[in-house]
Amino acid sequence: FKGKKKDGSTLYLEVHAVPLIDDNRFVGTRAYLWDISHRKQIEEQLRAQTLQDELTGLHNRRGFTILAHQQMKIANRNKEGFWILFADIDNLKLINDKYGHRHGDNALKIVAKIIRASFRTSDIVARIGGDEFAALAIESHVKSEKLMIKRLHDNLRQYNVEHKHRHKPSISIGAVFCEPQDSASIEELLARADDLMYQDKRLHKS
C-alpha cells in the first residue's frame, strides 16, 4: 500500500501478516512491513520505458494504443468525437542513404518535436513505427481537421525556414474523425488514417 512520510514524500510498503493462534484461539496478528519504494520506482521506470519511444521521447505504439483505448471509452461515455491523425516522414530512406542514419534520426527527432508542439498537452502523440507518427486529438470538432493539419504543416515550414539543414523534413498526413457512435477500433481508425496518408503522399509525388 501507499502512504506518506512526515515530509510529505510517498512511501510504498509491502505487508505480510500471519495470525497468532493459542490453544486453537485467534489471539492476534504478527505483521512484517517492508519499504519497497525503491522497487516501485524501478517498476515505474521500466513501465515508462515500455510505453515510450527511446529516440523521440514520445509514446511508442504500445503506449499510444493503451492510452487511445482509454480515451475512446471516455469519449464514448461523454458522447464526444475525436480525430486520429497518421503522419509519415517523406523520403526518410533518402535522407539515411544520402546523409547517414544520424541525420535520419535527427529528422525523426525534429518531426516528433514539431508534432508534439502542434497539439495540446492533453492530446496523445506517439511514434508508432520507423518513420510513422500518430496523434489522437481529444474533444475535437468534426470541422477542425483542416486547422490541425494546417498548423502542423505551418510549424514544420517555419522550422525549415529558421534552421538551415541540408535536408528539410516534410510529412504526409491522413486523418479520420471518430463519431461517438462509431464502433471502429483504434487499430481500424489508424488503418483508415494510414490509407488517407498514402493518398496524400501520392499527391506530393505527383
Side-chain angles (χ1 to χ4, degrees), residues 15-18 29-33:
V15 180
H16 290 190
V18 294
T29 302
R30 178 182 290 120
Y32 302 89
L33 283 76

Side-chain angles (χ1 to χ4, degrees), residues 6-161:
K6 289 183 179 180
D7 63 3
S9 60
T10 300
L11 174 72
Y12 289 94
L13 294 173
E14 185 172 273
V15 180
H16 290 190
V18 294
L20 298 178
I21 306 297
D22 183 22
D23 195 20
N24 293 323
R25 292 185 302 113
F26 174 77
V27 295
T29 302
R30 178 182 290 120
Y32 302 89
L33 283 76
W34 286 270
D35 183 348
I36 60 167
S37 301
H38 182 62
R39 190 183 81 191
K40 291 294 291 185
Q41 182 181 14
I42 293 174
E43 288 174 353
E44 287 299 318
Q45 290 173 350
L46 291 173
R47 180 179 179 275
Q49 290 172 7
T50 64
L51 301 179
Q52 187 180 62
D53 176 57
E54 184 177 355
L55 179 66
T56 64
L58 299 179
H59 297 298
N60 59 19
R61 191 181 193 100
R62 181 170 180 265
F64 180 84
T65 302
I66 291 172
L67 294 173
H69 277 298
Q70 293 174 349
Q71 185 56 47
M72 176 179 272
K73 292 178 182 178
I74 295 172
N76 289 337
R77 187 163 59 244
N78 295 337
K79 294 182 170 54
E80 296 174 339
F82 59 87
W83 280 97
I84 292 279
L85 278 80
F86 196 107
D88 181 274
I89 299 179
D90 298 325
N91 302 315
L92 182 63
K93 185 178 184 302
L94 291 178
I95 295 174
N96 284 327
D97 292 344
K98 187 173 182 179
Y99 301 111
H101 286 276
R102 184 171 63 86
H103 286 274
D105 287 349
N106 190 50
L108 287 166
K109 292 176 184 178
I110 291 168
V111 170
K113 182 178 179 180
I114 291 170
I115 293 177
R116 176 67 274 179
S118 300
F119 288 89
R120 298 165 297 183
T121 55
S122 56
D123 296 331
I124 303 167
V125 180
R127 177 189 175 204
I128 60 172
D131 55 358
E132 298 171 340
F133 297 84
L136 187 153
I138 66 174
E139 300 176 356
S140 298
H141 192 272
V142 66
K143 295 181 180 180
S144 57
E145 175 192 14
K146 291 182 179 179
L147 179 62
M148 288 188 296
I149 293 178
K150 182 179 184 300
R151 182 169 61 241
L152 190 50
H153 281 307
D154 285 348
N155 288 344
L156 186 57
R157 191 178 300 110
Q158 183 65 30
Y159 178 90
N160 286 333
V161 169

